[in-house]
Amino acid sequence: MANVAFLGLGVMGSPMAGHLARKGHDVAVFNRTSAKAEAWVAANGGTSAATPREAAIDKKIVFACVGNDDDLRSVVLGEDGAFAGMATGAVFVDHTTASAEVARELSAAADAAGLRFIDAPVSGGQAGAESGALTVMCGGEPAAYAEVEPAILAYAKACRLMGPSGSGQLTKMVNQIAIAGLVQGLSEAIHFGKRAGLDIEAVLDVISKGAAGSWQMDNRGKTMNAEKFDFGFAVEWMRKDLGILLAEGRRNGAHLPVTALVDQFYSDVEAMGGGRWDTSSLIARLER
Ligand SMILES: NC(=O)c1ccc[n+]([C@@H]2O[C@H](COP(=O)([O-])OP(=O)(O)OC[C@H]3O[C@@H](n4cnc5c(N)ncnc54)[C@H](OP(=O)(O)O)[C@@H]3O)[C@@H](O)[C@H]2O)c1
């Protein structure tokens, strides 16, 4: 088991770092709000560092899971950033959902400093992080990937190298495009069923076993019917992801009309006060 560091102990990072500690890794943590790092150490052991640089010193692997591109740059670059503390050959693994551009930018900076960089966004949400059953999509060099994959499997049920730097983020964009239209379709289906006077739980029970079944139907159908959204993957995070992938689509020429429309629907949910609601709250636009 290696000495590792984990930067960013939010909804996702905290349980992921916890799985690393339980697998026997010696984990140094950094969190911008230091109280969270101290609470994590009290619960999991390891050590808390005052800066990303301090956390990264002498670590074979430095993991991060922060908010967006700029948050990532702020923990990686500069005199207090992780790259300043990492030894030659060490690998930085980024679990933030960010742009493919920032992955390529930081991979080039790592290369120049004698380090390696893997972009590794995740799918599976808070529940997947807590149960150690995330799906991880990676971009980078095969040799660096092979070194970090065993550690990632502490909190993942699937982990795959998709291609060169940025390929993990591009794969996560495909994932989010596939989810966006599906959640709107599921919202319209439940909305229609209610108007038709059907027993929605019975409807979901039967149709989930047929061609309409999906992870969203299994895991969100009941709570959408009950209009419960105070958990899960926040609308404001989804809008960040949609902004990133719509910009990428403008660059690569992909047509994403439904995804762009769903982004606008999510802005309606934000205007309703739902920025922190789960993404299944798309149905609230139809029901309220
Ligand atoms: N939640 C999900 O279901 C889910 C699923 C898949 C992917 N993701 C992605 O995973 C990433 C993290 O999500 P999350 O739900 O864990 O978010 P979160 O609970 O809001 O945690 C964000 C973490 O990033 C830190 N951070 C933010 N800005 C920073 C900055 N400028 N400098 C240093 N640290 C900073 C925060 O520190 P503080 O504690 O100081 O605020 C916190 O530790 C996001 O990219 C998200 O899109 C989330």
Side-chain angles (χ1 to χ4, degrees):
M1 294 300 144
N3 283 353
V4 302
F6 206 107
L7 317 176
L9 300 171
V11 166
M12 300 297 284
S14 177
M16 291 160 83
H19 284 291
L20 288 168
R22 279 191 293 284
K23 286 277 174 191
H25 294 282
D26 197 351
V27 188
V29 294
F30 164 80
N31 196 69
R32 178 180 57 180
T33 307
S34 59
K36 276 193 208 169
E38 280 143 30
W40 188 94
V41 169
N44 298 280
T47 52
S48 151
T51 64
R53 177 182 180 280
E54 188 186 316
I57 290 170
D58 289 336
K59 304 303 184 303
K60 279 190 168 22
I61 312 172
V62 179
F63 299 91
C65 189
V66 293
N68 60 26
D69 285 19
D70 284 341
D71 301 336
L72 180 61
R73 287 189 186 95
S74 80
V75 296
V76 169
L77 304 173
E79 62 184 34
D80 284 333
F83 280 9
M86 289 167 71
T88 304
V91 189
F92 191 98
V93 176
D94 175 38
H95 289 306
T96 309
T97 304
S99 68
E101 285 180 316
V102 78
R104 294 185 200 110
E105 170 196 322
L106 295 178
S107 178
D111 213 25
L115 308 170
R116 277 92 56 79
F117 184 93
I118 299 285
D119 51 294
V122 304
S123 176
Q126 180 176 1
E130 288 171 356
S131 64
L134 293 170
T135 298
V136 187
M137 308 144 236
C138 300
E141 288 301 316
Y145 173 78
E147 281 178 41
V148 299
E149 189 199 64
I152 292 174
L153 288 173
Y155 44 77
K157 66 176 179 193
C159 183
R160 181 165 177 161
L161 181 65
M162 306 307 299
S165 184
S167 303
Q169 296 296 353
L170 292 170
T171 304
K172 174 75 181 184
M173 293 177 209
V174 174
N175 184 81
Q176 300 303 70
I177 293 166
I179 286 174
L182 193 152
V183 175
Q184 177 61 18
L186 183 56
S187 298
E188 292 181 17
I190 294 172
H191 173 65
F192 174 93
K194 283 186 164 182
R195 290 293 168 106
L198 291 167
D199 175 343
I200 297 299
E201 293 216 7
V203 169
L204 294 174
D205 184 58
V206 69
I207 71 171
S208 64
K209 297 179 178 73
S214 67
W215 185 99
Q216 297 291 339
M217 187 178 284
D218 290 345
N219 292 279
R220 297 291 186 266
K222 280 187 185 165
T223 44
M224 288 167 83
N225 184 37
E227 293 192 47
K228 281 193 186 151
F229 310 121
D230 56 344
F231 65 97
F233 183 53
V235 164
E236 61 191 30
W237 279 144
M238 184 61 163
R239 289 210 77 208
K240 179 254 304 176
D241 295 359
L242 293 172
I244 289 170
L245 67 86
L246 289 168
E248 188 68 37
R250 280 192 289 278
R251 273 189 292 276
N252 71 16
H255 295 286
L256 304 170
V258 171
T259 311
L261 189 60
V262 171
D263 179 52
Q264 292 304 302
F265 291 165
Y266 277 126
S267 80
D268 294 344
V269 176
E270 284 186 322
M272 293 168 70
R276 295 298 296 180
W277 292 350
D278 182 67
T279 43
S280 57
S281 58
L282 269 183
I283 195 171
R285 289 180 61 257
L286 307 173
E287 290 290 314
R288 293 186 184 176

